[in-house]
Amino acid sequence: MEFEPVTNIKGVGAETAETLKELGIHHVQDLLMYFPFRYEDFRLKDIVETPHNEQVTIEARVESVPVVFFMGKNKSRLQVSVLTGRHIVKVVFFNQHYLKERLTPGTIITVSGKWNRARQTITASSVKFGPKEQSQDFEPVYRLKGNLHQNRFRKFMRQALDLAKGELPENLPREIRERYKLLSIDEALEGIHFPKDANHLKQARRRFVYEELLMFQLRIQALRKTRKENEKGIAIQYDLKKLKEFIGQIPFELTNAQKRVVNEICRDLKSPYRMNRLLQGDVGSGKTIVAAIALYACVTAGYQGALMAPTEILAEQHFASLESLFQPAGVNIALLTGSTKTKERKQILERLEKGEIQVIIGTHALIQPDVVFHQLGFVITDEQHRFGVEQRRILRDKGMHPDVLFMTATPIPRTLAITTFGEMDVSVIDELPAGRKQIETHWLKKEQFHACLAKMETELKKGRQAYVICPLIEESEKIDVQNAVEVYEQLRGMFQGRFEVGLMHGRLPSEEKDQVMRAFKDGKIHVLVSTTVVEVGVNVPNASFMLIYDADRFGLAQLHQLRGRVGRGDYQSYCVLLANPKSEEGIERMKSMTELADGFRLAEKDLELRGPGDFFGKRQSGLPEFKLADLVHDYRVLEVARDDAAKLVYDEKFWRDEEYKYLRKMLEESGALSGERID
Ligand code: ADP
Ligand code: MG
């Protein structure tokens, strides 16, 4: 049944079959799985509550003898008064004068059309005689091509449904359907195409959303399982006593979230499976210390650890903080970047190969072919979204099967974490160290620029530093954004002889970028005008002020990242968003920034406002396309599906029972069982 060609449907000839093919419909089953993208809503509405110009369907009794006007050849206008509820309204039909005979006073009709509130008139698009039947509440509307029209397509669908009834395989086992009270495949197909009523449609949708998300999660969970079984990792037997001593000499108490995350990572290190874990933590939540503890654990077991950062500045920053922690503990640590001098580099490589260097921090320089480890056990990559899959793989392959931890300060909403990082374990530091001062965030209109500068100057006079963020570096005809170079010139003129202004953007050679950044760190530059290149991880605790130009051009997640560059020291810090947003959504984003400090809540908000596609940026989103499921609205189902899938792949009956045959087949076809997909 399922693979019958569509031409078996009455009315589908060779030509129509071609058009259907363009829609991806080859077999009857494809047709059935071609879902409407919306529905015409014919539910009865109270005319009094219907807004002007809206579609409405009413049941009414004809009250007057229709009047017909002819307006030239084949053109007519028929008008009749009807009673609906307690209201008399007019109904107008164009070019259907023949209805006059049937619209005799007293006749009950169901009429749909556009409601003109001012004129108390419905311009009818359809009329049925007699009271309304519930089965006509919704009419499916499909995305179609060519000369295929809705009515014809609906007829094909009707036939297909009748043909398929009782013949289609049920993908979902009874046990699951009963647990969640899901419709059977037949009922659900009927409900998605020709729902009896609103509830039928809802239940049909519920079934298909669950099915879709379960299939998706089964692939991820099966992949995880296959990996765990096939990849031999290293069991890193760290020295708990030493580790506790190390933690004991850290100058502050770990937050509960840090403790929990350290435990999760250490458990992974000790297990013989390969760690594949994502560590998420808002800016300033203290990820570095967690990384240090994990690296130290690895060292006590006699393995080497590596930490890879996306820029030299970040690598240096990590090196500086880890060195001060590791020195007292007697750990040999080295820094390797593109600017490491040849002679020094040679030395480092030798010592690394012998195993004398226990922890190495670096940039891409760590993945050059001549970098050889003695016994690499653990790799951490910071801000993993900046690294390509390939680079991570190369580094991993340098070890035997090192454990891998990805750190990111980009809070990823739960639902996206489940979908995009579903194959990873996720640890979250969801708590900031106590006593942090909240960054005061203000939203100003561009006209208030001078007030903003005055505030900045106050901070500069106190000896603080400031960031000024501009969206683009060059004038663009298409978008009217501030030009970083222009802003730089302007501020330089204004602060001449008083404060140093620096410029930083992505087009600068990386050496120059580093120089500028270093000068800012050292306090030689007071105001840094920059594009978003400062976004990630840079730590200048003396900076207490940030101005973001055209802030409405950024997403919430990015604004939050930027804002995290200030408030890193003991000073009260400020962030001013300069923006005249044009859209409601832009206004909403500016408000959210002034109200919310928590990166995760902002990320959820961002997702809600912009949808999953825009959250990561369209091209790199890596988000799966779903037919019905919507990650924002259906995330609870997603969580349920994930838990179910995670259990199923370890359940014998899943691999054995007839009922699970279709799910197994789908898994086989997806390649998840052979572990083909890498990252
Ligand atoms: P991020 O997660 O943004 O990388 P860092 O690791 O750079 O955060 O930590 C930010 C600052 O907070 C650092 O100066 C660090 O020493 C400090 N810090 C980290 N954990 C704690 C803690 N539990 N208590 C107090 N300060 C902490
Ligand atoms: Mg960090």
Side-chain angles (χ1 to χ4, degrees):
M1 163 65 231
E2 11 174 353
F3 293 117
E4 276 186 46
V6 274
T7 43
N8 283 12
I9 286 177
K10 246 186 275 159
V12 179
E15 199 182 321
T16 308
E18 270 312 303
T19 316
L20 289 174
K21 215 181 272 176
E22 282 176 42
L23 299 172
I25 300 170
H26 304 265
H27 303 286
V28 173
Q29 180 154 16
D30 304 329
L31 181 63
L32 292 169
M33 294 310 284
Y34 197 80
F35 293 168
F37 78 101
R38 67 178 184 88
Y39 300 83
E40 217 67 85
D41 184 351
F42 290 124
R43 280 177 294 181
L44 291 180
K45 279 189 208 144
D46 188 339
I47 198 79
V48 184
E49 281 163 20
T50 305
H52 181 63
N53 268 343
E54 259 193 23
Q55 266 324 103
V56 66
T57 299
I58 57 162
E59 223 174 64
R61 192 180 72 201
V62 177
E63 291 293 308
S64 69
V65 176
V67 184
V68 180
F69 304 92
F70 286 94
M71 310 172 289
K73 208 179 158 200
N74 298 329
K75 293 220 157 125
S76 70
R77 181 177 190 276
L78 181 155
Q79 185 179 311
V80 67
S81 292
V82 302
L83 176 72
T84 175
R86 294 191 293 150
H87 295 268
I88 299 270
V89 300
K90 270 181 269 177
V91 181
V92 171
F93 295 88
F94 285 101
N95 310 328
Q96 294 177 75
H97 61 272
Y98 49 84
L99 287 175
K100 184 175 179 194
E101 313 298 317
R102 300 186 65 187
L103 290 168
T104 50
T107 309
I108 303 293
I109 56 170
T110 302
V111 64
S112 303
K114 198 177 191 183
W115 171 233
N116 184 322
R117 203 183 170 105
R119 298 190 172 171
Q120 295 283 297
T121 299
I122 294 174
T123 304
S125 51
S126 82
V127 62
K128 292 194 175 92
F129 289 85
K132 166 138 188 316
E133 288 166 37
Q134 188 156 65
S135 62
Q136 294 158 349
D137 270 357
F138 297 95
E139 199 165 64
V141 183
Y142 301 90
R143 282 187 209 287
L144 299 178
K145 280 191 166 171
N147 52 8
L148 206 53
H149 293 297
Q150 296 292 340
N151 270 332
R152 220 172 131 227
F153 193 82
R154 286 179 197 137
K155 281 193 187 124
F156 298 157
M157 194 61 83
R158 185 65 265 159
Q159 269 192 65
L161 281 166
D162 295 340
L163 272 175
K165 197 155 229 136
E167 303 280 335
L168 282 182
E170 175 58 76
N171 290 340
L172 292 179
R174 176 184 301 275
E175 190 199 335
I176 290 182
R177 270 187 292 129
E178 281 176 359
R179 188 184 322 149
Y180 301 118
K181 302 197 167 44
L182 299 175
L183 297 183
S184 70
I185 183 73
D186 283 343
E187 289 169 304
L189 280 173
E190 188 70 36
I192 207 83
H193 293 291
F194 301 110
K196 286 198 293 279
D197 50 39
N199 188 49
H200 192 196
L201 176 58
K202 186 173 152 199
Q203 295 305 328
R205 196 179 170 277
R206 199 164 72 88
R207 181 212 144 106
F208 287 120
V209 166
Y210 176 83
E211 181 177 333
E212 194 169 32
L213 293 174
L214 180 70
M215 299 253 186
F216 169 64
Q217 281 297 324
L218 274 172
R219 284 201 301 276
I220 290 178
Q221 301 302 330
L223 198 63
R224 272 175 80 140
K225 177 167 177 271
T226 325
R227 281 225 194 122
K228 278 206 165 140
E229 283 165 0
N230 295 344
E231 288 183 351
K232 284 173 276 334
I234 317 164
I236 294 180
Q237 301 293 353
Y238 58 85
D239 185 328
L240 186 61
K241 195 166 149 275
K242 279 193 190 162
L243 190 61
K244 282 195 169 151
E245 278 168 20
F246 180 74
I247 295 174
Q249 50 86 39
I250 294 170
F252 44 75
E253 171 88 3
L254 295 184
T255 62
N256 285 328
Q258 283 170 321
K259 284 181 193 160
R260 188 188 64 234
V261 163
V262 164
N263 277 329
E264 286 166 357
I265 295 170
C266 284
R267 210 183 317 129
D268 278 5
L269 284 173
K270 213 153 68 179
S271 94
Y273 300 121
R274 225 162 116 165
M275 178 189 328
N276 185 30
R277 187 174 281 279
L278 179 71
L279 172 59
Q280 285 194 62
D282 209 342
V283 277
S285 61
K287 291 181 294 294
T288 314
I289 194 72
V290 171
I293 294 168
L295 285 167
Y296 184 78
C298 168
V299 168
T300 66
Y303 287 95
Q304 290 169 301
L307 193 160
M308 186 155 75
T311 65
E312 289 199 6
I313 291 275
L314 288 181
E316 279 173 28
Q317 224 168 257
H318 279 310
F319 179 71
S321 38
L322 293 192
E323 198 184 25
S324 64
L325 281 164
F326 283 159
Q327 211 135 50
V331 176
N332 288 324
I333 173 171
L335 174 72
L336 188 67
T337 69
S339 35
T340 307
K341 301 263 167 354
T342 318
K343 202 173 130 205
E344 197 192 344
R345 181 169 189 276
K346 198 165 156 256
Q347 259 178 13
I348 290 176
L349 293 189
E350 274 172 23
R351 294 179 58 219
L352 194 63
E353 192 165 0
K354 281 194 219 141
E356 283 170 23
I357 291 173
Q358 293 157 298
V359 173
I360 188 149
I361 318 291
T363 54
H364 296 77
L366 285 184
I367 54 172
Q368 301 312 309
D370 57 344
V371 179
V372 181
F373 288 86
H374 175 67
Q375 203 176 29
L376 179 62
F378 183 39
V379 174
I380 302 179
T381 69
D382 193 14
E383 296 307 337
Q384 62 102 21
H385 57 286
R386 296 236 165 163
F387 278 107
V389 169
E390 187 59 11
Q391 290 160 344
R392 300 200 308 253
R393 193 184 59 75
I394 294 173
L395 184 59
R396 244 176 3 216
D397 290 350
K398 283 183 181 295
M400 312 279 286
H401 295 280
D403 285 323
V404 181
L405 179 72
F406 305 97
M407 294 202 294
T408 177
T410 312
I412 300 161
R414 245 181 334 162
T415 111
L416 290 192
I418 293 178
T419 38
T420 48
F421 299 105
E423 299 138 67
M424 291 187 182
D425 297 302
V426 178
S427 291
V428 181
I429 311 184
D430 49 6
E431 179 186 358
L432 294 184
R436 282 282 162 78
K437 288 201 184 69
Q438 198 152 321
I439 301 163
E440 246 183 61
T441 304
H442 301 278
W443 167 30
L444 297 184
K445 296 285 170 62
K446 288 188 194 165
E447 303 82 83
Q448 296 163 288
F449 177 61
H450 284 280
C452 168
L453 276 193
K455 179 74 197 155
M456 177 153 95
E457 202 164 336
T458 312
E459 286 300 299
L460 294 174
K461 280 186 184 145
K462 282 193 245 169
R464 300 290 83 75
Q465 287 163 282
Y467 293 97
V468 175
I469 309 294
C470 316
L472 284 186
I473 67 146
E474 275 174 347
E475 258 177 291
S476 150
E477 285 155 337
K478 271 191 251 151
I479 2 173
D480 169 32
V481 286
Q482 289 288 339
N483 177 319
V485 182
E486 218 174 73
V487 173
Y488 164 70
E489 296 293 350
Q490 190 191 357
L491 292 181
R492 215 164 57 138
M494 268 163 38
F495 290 134
Q496 192 139 41
R498 296 186 295 148
F499 304 110
E500 275 308 311
V501 183
L503 175 64
M504 169 87 155
H505 60 67
R507 299 272 171 89
L508 293 178
S510 49
E511 259 171 51
E512 210 170 310
K513 260 190 245 171
D514 276 354
Q515 272 169 19
V516 174
M517 226 33 243
R518 210 153 287 147
F520 189 60
K521 261 188 122 147
D522 297 343
K524 290 178 190 134
I525 289 175
H526 304 107
V527 179
L528 183 64
V529 176
S530 173
T531 56
T532 56
V533 287
V534 294
E535 187 181 334
V536 178
V538 175
N539 192 22
V540 181
N542 190 46
S544 66
F545 190 91
M546 174 171 282
L547 164 62
I548 307 179
Y549 263 97
D550 288 331
D552 56 320
R553 292 199 192 282
F554 298 99
L556 282 177
Q558 201 176 12
L559 285 171
H560 180 67
Q561 276 300 308
L562 287 167
R563 179 170 62 181
R565 296 311 108 216
V566 294
R568 305 180 73 83
D570 299 329
Y571 314 107
Q572 174 59 51
S573 294
Y574 306 89
C575 175
V576 176
L577 312 168
L578 207 58
N580 298 13
K582 292 190 180 65
S583 65
E584 275 305 310
E585 191 230 287
I587 292 170
E588 186 74 11
R589 261 185 287 136
M590 295 303 98
K591 283 194 188 146
S592 302
M593 278 304 289
T594 59
E595 286 160 11
L596 302 177
D598 179 329
F600 281 93
R601 288 192 51 202
L602 279 167
E604 298 276 359
K605 188 85 196 172
D606 206 15
L607 181 61
E608 196 184 293
L609 288 174
R610 298 197 299 165
D614 282 341
F615 184 81
F616 285 120
K618 278 205 178 58
R619 254 175 313 140
Q620 56 175 67
S621 79
L623 283 173
E625 295 256 331
F626 293 112
K627 211 146 117 179
L628 280 181
D630 171 326
L631 292 180
V632 179
H633 295 107
D634 298 320
Y635 79 87
R636 266 177 232 287
V637 186
L638 178 66
E639 285 180 328
V640 169
R642 181 203 45 195
D643 294 347
D644 288 347
K647 281 196 205 101
L648 277 179
V649 295
Y650 286 98
D651 192 339
E652 271 175 33
K653 70 171 183 281
F654 176 79
W655 301 104
R656 182 193 61 210
D657 288 5
E658 179 72 15
E659 285 238 280
Y660 291 90
K661 178 171 83 180
Y662 292 99
L663 296 178
R664 285 199 301 268
K665 193 169 130 219
M666 179 276 306
L667 266 185
E668 255 159 50
E669 285 164 3
S670 75
L673 297 183
S674 50
E676 271 164 27
R677 263 182 63 196
I678 300 175
D679 287 306

